[in-house]
Amino acid sequence: MPAAAAALSDDDRLVVAHCAALSFPPPPAAAAATQPPPSPPSSFQVHHASHPYPCAAFAFPPSWSAPGWAAAAAGRAAFGDAEVDPSLFPSLRSIGSGVPARANAAFLAAFRALLDDSPLQSEVSRAVAEEERIIFTGHSSGGAIATLASIWFLETCTRRGSVNQAHPFCVTFGTPLVGDNTFNHAVRREGWSQCILNFVVPVDIIPRIPLTPLASATEGIQAVLDWLSPHTPNFSPSGIPLIISQFYENLLRSTLSIASYEACSFMGCTSSILGTLTSFIELSPYRPCGTYLFLTSSEQLAVLTNSHAVLQLLFYCLQLDPQQQLRDAAERSLSAHWQYEPIKQSMMQEIVCVDYLGVVSSTLPGRQMSSTIVGGLELSKEAMLSLSAAGQWEKQRETNQAKIDGANCTKIREALKSLNEYKRTCELHEVSYYDSFKLQREVHDFHANVTRLELAGLWDEIVEMLRRRELPDGFEGRQDWVNLGTLYRRLVEPLDIANYYRHSKNEDTGSYLSKGRPRRYKYTQEWHEQLQRISFGSSLESCFWAMAEELQAEIANGKTFEDVRQRVVKLESDAHGWFMSGSLGKDIFLSRSSFVIWWKTLPEKHRSASCIAKLVP
């Protein structure tokens, strides 16, 4: 796979050419006369090959029916999107906020049908057992299914710990946008974006279709599909019906709206126009996902990995020439959807991959220029400025990350070292550092509180930058920061809990877990759970003291042991597991620990049978 998608190796070229051969039927004119009706959209074909390496290529055909593109979805019927199934795609969510990704409901349903009603899973398992590399490919909406299949396979491999299984190679041609910004963010965070190569003819209409409201355009979508389908009499006529021209015009308006909104966002525009725009125009949630390769000429591919830049290019490539009629432009855009077949031959040649954002940034036009040709595409000055701004915004995010990697990381490590010394000092006096901090009787307790507050400021800054999308998508998946965040959470959150209950905030606000827990701990916990591929919410060891405090408070306020027995047993079981795994310190079991003192007040019969009985002195 190309590193940063800067080039295609010889093996990659062979695989792409193979995928192109599988994804396209015979020439449309011949197909219309000789081919049987199209297969149902839930079908697929699998082809095994030994060159350039042993692989199994799964090819998914397009759907030529509007319901295969635009299924109504509760809450977002206008664009036909729905939440992804967390059982299939557990990683497709925003870490911290927990917001699940959304994707085209029709594509999700078609892929679910493949898993439930076809031999896809068994064929993939057989290919894996035979040590074949898995390849997914498809043209048009078949490419959308291939994208979902590749992410599903990545989820399956990583959750099962199949570290020796090579990542799948997904190659799509003229595929429509599949998921929303959370979908794209999650794929980039997991490092999967480079596995998905999307080949696009610059003026192809199909990738843009999800940018227009699908629910109100079903007839237009069906007209487009009828015009494109090699299995209908309307295929490649001399002209296009009025309904397609109208659909194309609406698509241009929708693409302009979303591209303008996104450009204002990453350019830092604070104008109230943005809020006004979204108050009366519902914008499409779909965003580009993966690596995009625009076929600008027979010898060159313009490569973009920046989703924001891809979205801008999808808009600006459709800008009408002042002399061009709308109907002619629409026909050109539809015809482009069948201009991918030359890839089968061009991939065998020395086709050049160009870092398009780099080229744009180095050839920005002067004020006197209205447009210029860059990498085979004629772009307006506004287009080049928008593309350059998208690139600069990504560079700024990388600069922000470099700053955090430097000064912030050093400060965090020094502060954690200081708190570790504080914890050890408390343990030497047979006192849990939680209890010592809660009492605040010693000078070192005061200093620990100052350090806690300094750390809170550093981590809150990171969390806010993530919320504002000011850090690269991959930041939350970096093992060094996940490990540092886990160390911070396990060491410092008990101090936040001690401070919370020391000031009796639970009496006014509610329990710490439900009302008082800061985002910085929720985020770092989910980073750890995502990296370890364990269920979300299962790593609450840093909240042990909050659970213990709530149980003590409830019994003190009149509840009997029988009322809370099940929760006590669960806390004991969790504490035993966390302690044995090393994620919970031994200080909770010190003889002078407030937890141990309280636990010894529980019924003797219960204590003698408890799983932590041997840990308590």
Side-chain angles (χ1 to χ4, degrees), residues 572-595:
E572 292 171 336
S573 175
D574 288 341
H576 184 272
W578 293 329
F579 176 77
M580 298 305 292
S581 68
S583 57
L584 193 63
K586 65 180 181 180
D587 57 300
I588 67 168
F589 296 120
L590 294 172
S591 59
R592 294 170 60 189
S593 161
S594 60
F595 169 72

Side-chain angles (χ1 to χ4, degrees), residues 325-339:
Q325 295 294 320
L326 180 66
R327 180 169 293 193
D328 293 338
E331 185 168 350
R332 181 190 65 158
S333 190
L334 268 70
S335 299
H337 193 54
W338 284 106
Q339 293 174 7

Side-chain angles (χ1 to χ4, degrees), residues 88-394:
L88 288 181
F89 306 107
S91 297
L92 296 186
R93 66 199 298 273
S94 174
I95 292 182
S97 67
V99 174
R102 300 183 71 89
N104 183 294
F107 300 155
L108 288 172
F111 178 66
R112 167 61 81 175
L114 274 170
L115 293 180
D116 294 344
D117 305 324
S118 82
L120 177 64
Q121 293 195 65
S122 59
E123 289 286 348
V124 169
S125 296
R126 186 176 71 171
V128 169
E130 295 176 359
E131 298 184 347
E132 294 179 306
R133 180 122 183 237
I134 304 300
I135 297 169
F136 298 105
T137 188
H139 171 231
S140 193
S141 61
I145 306 303
T147 300
L148 292 173
S150 65
I151 297 173
W152 161 78
F153 182 74
L154 284 160
E155 294 273 24
T156 303
C157 285
T158 53
R159 295 279 163 182
R160 290 178 180 172
S162 305
V163 293
N164 295 324
Q165 175 63 45
H167 277 183
F169 199 30
C170 178
V171 183
T172 76
F173 306 95
T175 188
L177 302 182
V178 178
D180 66 357
N181 194 57
T182 299
F183 187 103
N184 170 54
H185 164 76
V187 169
R188 288 173 62 85
R189 181 191 70 226
E190 298 303 309
W192 297 341
S193 186
Q194 69 226 22
C195 299
I196 304 170
L197 302 186
N198 302 298
F199 287 83
V200 177
V201 172
V203 297
D204 185 357
I205 190 176
I206 292 298
R208 285 100 164 164
I209 283 181
L211 295 177
T212 195
L214 304 181
S216 60
T218 304
E219 291 185 8
I221 293 173
Q222 188 60 65
V224 167
L225 297 175
D226 285 343
W227 196 93
L228 289 171
S229 173
H231 307 287
T232 64
N234 294 329
F235 181 79
S236 193
S238 57
I240 61 172
L242 179 62
I243 188 173
I244 292 182
S245 295
Q246 293 171 339
F247 175 79
Y248 185 77
E249 185 176 12
N250 290 334
L251 183 144
L252 289 178
R253 290 198 188 98
S254 297
T255 308
L256 167 63
S257 297
I258 189 62
S260 300
Y261 176 81
E262 283 292 297
C264 287
S265 297
F266 61 68
M267 286 181 181
C269 175
T270 57
S271 170
S272 60
I273 294 176
L274 285 179
T276 304
L277 177 67
T278 55
S279 67
F280 66 88
I281 298 178
E282 187 176 7
L283 299 177
S284 170
Y286 298 104
R287 297 293 184 275
C289 176
T291 299
Y292 275 74
L293 300 97
F294 286 82
L295 283 72
T296 59
S297 70
S298 59
E299 299 87 20
Q300 186 169 277
L301 288 169
V303 183
L304 291 99
T305 59
N306 185 312
S307 173
H308 307 286
V310 172
L311 186 64
Q312 297 300 313
L313 204 56
L314 288 176
F315 164 64
Y316 282 108
C317 283
L318 288 189
Q319 284 188 312
L320 296 176
D321 185 286
Q323 311 301 320
Q324 190 175 33
Q325 295 294 320
L326 180 66
R327 180 169 293 193
D328 293 338
E331 185 168 350
R332 181 190 65 158
S333 190
L334 268 70
S335 299
H337 193 54
W338 284 106
Q339 293 174 7
Y340 294 90
E341 287 198 79
I343 291 176
K344 289 183 284 189
Q345 289 75 40
S346 63
M347 277 297 149
M348 298 298 99
Q349 305 165 4
E350 286 300 315
I351 193 164
V352 178
C353 294
V354 177
D355 173 10
Y356 202 68
L357 277 185
V359 173
V360 168
S361 297
S362 63
T363 57
L364 276 174
R367 293 183 179 275
Q368 75 282 2
M369 300 177 67
S370 59
S371 65
T372 189
I373 296 178
V374 181
L377 293 176
E378 184 173 1
L379 298 178
S380 65
K381 179 180 178 180
E382 292 76 13
M384 295 184 68
L385 289 173
S386 293
L387 287 168
S388 180
Q392 288 300 317
W393 189 65
E394 190 61 39

